[in-house]
Amino acid sequence: ILDPDAEIQAAMRLVFETFERTGSAMQTVKLFHEQGLRFPRCMRKGLNKGELHWVQAEHSRIIQVLHNPRYAGAFVYGRVRTRLLPDGKHRTTKVPQSDWQFVIPVYTGP
């Protein structure tokens, strides 16, 4: 389901179109910087939780978007595993795609 905000939709489309054309996340970030474009970021924690901010595109964030199965039309579970360590801290590790517990493609029609 697309975000109802047309500006967010446009920014996300530009990421995928630029990446498809250049094959590079760095070139995608470079385009945003060269054109003075901002990238949407929803605050997940703190006083501003839930607020939308327009920020400078960062390579790490563009990579997160490109690697997120949700944008490919799939629901997945088991991409990471979290273990509780004896000292009470948590350790999170990435799981190889072949070992994900659930991969459910979203039906997009004929």
Side-chain angles (χ1 to χ4, degrees), residues 37-73:
L37 301 173
R38 297 290 185 181
F39 193 76
R41 178 176 179 208
C42 185
M43 306 307 288
R44 294 180 182 249
K45 297 179 183 179
L47 296 174
N48 299 326
K49 183 178 179 179
E51 290 181 10
L52 178 68
H53 291 250
W54 289 88
V55 299
Q56 191 171 40
E58 295 179 359
H59 184 259
S60 61
R61 181 65 183 121
I62 298 300
I63 289 290
Q64 285 176 338
V65 168
L66 293 170
H67 286 191
N68 192 326
R70 168 179 335 172
Y71 296 111

Side-chain angles (χ1 to χ4, degrees), residues 1 12 15 25-26 29 36 41 49 69 71 75 78 81 100 103:
I1 299 172
M12 298 306 285
V15 167
M26 272 316 277
V29 172
R41 178 176 179 208
K49 183 178 179 179
Y71 296 111
F75 169 80
R81 239 176 236 135
W100 292 353
V103 177

